[in-house]
Amino acid sequence: MHKAGTLVQSALELPPHGIHVQAGGDARSFIGGAPQWLQDEDLELGGLAFALQIDGGTLPAPLRNLFYLADGVGYLYLPTQASESTDCSGIFFVQVT
């Protein structure tokens, strides 16, 4: 885990990709709302709120294996309140069925 407040760099840059602004309908990748398809896990996400969902199957062809499986769904949770005492910048994880 990186130190809070430090810049995190990746060897992979994602090109712009269309994403729905809100969940609902046939949206598979979206920002805000509530996660869809999240498997019943006992997640301890105290102080974190759902931010976005990315369906690997909707990514452009060169990136479909970004999650190592084309049907992987990524979920991002971010802190609900920013604080210097917060030791977690957020959490991103991928689930597959």
Side-chain angles (χ1 to χ4, degrees):
M1 181 172 290
H2 67 280
K3 183 178 176 184
T6 60
L7 180 63
V8 178
Q9 296 180 336
S10 173
L12 176 66
E13 288 188 29
L14 299 178
H17 173 64
I19 190 167
H20 292 272
V21 176
Q22 183 174 329
D26 61 354
R28 294 170 59 179
S29 296
F30 55 89
I31 298 169
Q36 297 176 2
W37 309 321
L38 186 60
Q39 296 171 23
D40 189 19
E41 298 286 342
D42 186 18
L43 302 173
E44 294 184 25
L45 299 173
L48 299 177
F50 175 75
L52 67 86
Q53 173 178 310
I54 301 173
D55 181 355
T58 65
L59 293 171
L63 298 173
R64 289 225 177 97
N65 288 325
L66 179 66
F67 303 144
Y68 298 99
L69 291 169
D71 64 345
V73 178
Y75 301 91
L76 175 65
Y77 284 77
L78 296 174
T80 55
Q81 302 250 332
S83 168
E84 287 186 27
S85 63
T86 301
D87 64 352
C88 182
S89 297
I91 185 170
F92 179 80
F93 60 93
V94 177
Q95 288 185 327
V96 295
T97 55

